[in-house]
């Protein structure tokens, strides 16, 4: 079992920045991957960024060059640095964790970007 707690969401003007944090209840060394997804009203949940246990990363095309996923192994925490935010980035952002057998979700944190 893995518990995930997100923080760092809020209201920011277009062009601004936010950093989201996701604290895991287990050592992230034991996880296959951690990532961030987002879901806007009326839309499917979509992958934003992913980092694997080997350090490889993957980003949605819409956020490449603007968002950066990183991890702090000592703190069992993964971050999403979001720069040059756009109103289209407005969504609930969810932290995810994949073990070798099961997947887990955090509760989500709201990000709202004003125009």
């Amino acid at each position: 079992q893995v518990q995930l707690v997100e923080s760092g969401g809020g209201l920011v003007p277009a062009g601004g920045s936010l950093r989201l944090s996701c604290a895991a209840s287990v050592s992230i060394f034991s996880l296959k991957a951690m990532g961030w997804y987002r879901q806007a009203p009326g839309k499917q949940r979509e992958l934003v960024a992913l980092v694997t246990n080997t350090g490889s990363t993957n980003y949605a095309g819409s956020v490449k060059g603007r968002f950066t996923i990183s991890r702090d192994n000592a703190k069992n925490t993964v971050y999403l640095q979001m720069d040059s935010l756009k109103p289209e980035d407005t969504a609930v952002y969810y932290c995810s964790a994949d073990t070798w057998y099961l997947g887990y979700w955090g509760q989500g944190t709201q990000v709202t970007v004003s125009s």
Side-chain angles (χ1 to χ4, degrees):
Q1 61 186 57
V2 180
Q3 295 177 349
L4 304 170
V5 180
E6 302 103 328
S7 62
L11 176 65
V12 65
S17 298
L18 284 174
R19 188 180 73 163
L20 306 183
S21 299
C22 175
S25 64
V26 300
S27 171
I28 62 176
F29 288 122
S30 67
L31 301 173
K32 181 181 179 181
M34 295 190 71
W36 291 93
Y37 289 71
R38 67 186 181 188
Q39 188 167 25
K43 293 188 176 182
Q44 292 182 312
R45 188 173 298 186
E46 64 176 353
L47 175 68
V48 177
L50 186 74
V51 59
T52 72
N53 63 332
T54 63
S56 65
T57 58
N58 190 33
Y59 295 91
S62 59
V63 307
K64 285 183 179 178
R66 300 190 297 120
F67 291 10
T68 304
I69 189 168
S70 62
R71 61 189 182 188
D72 186 331
N73 294 332
K75 296 181 178 180
N76 294 329
T77 299
V78 64
Y79 303 95
L80 184 68
Q81 178 66 43
M82 304 185 294
D83 298 320
S84 301
L85 282 161
K86 304 175 181 179
E88 305 90 88
D89 297 317
T90 295
V92 177
Y93 284 70
Y94 296 91
C95 182
S96 70
D98 288 336
T99 71
W100 295 101
Y101 304 100
L102 297 172
Y104 298 87
W105 296 101
Q107 291 295 115
T109 185
Q110 177 71 46
V111 172
T112 302
V113 184
S114 61
S115 60

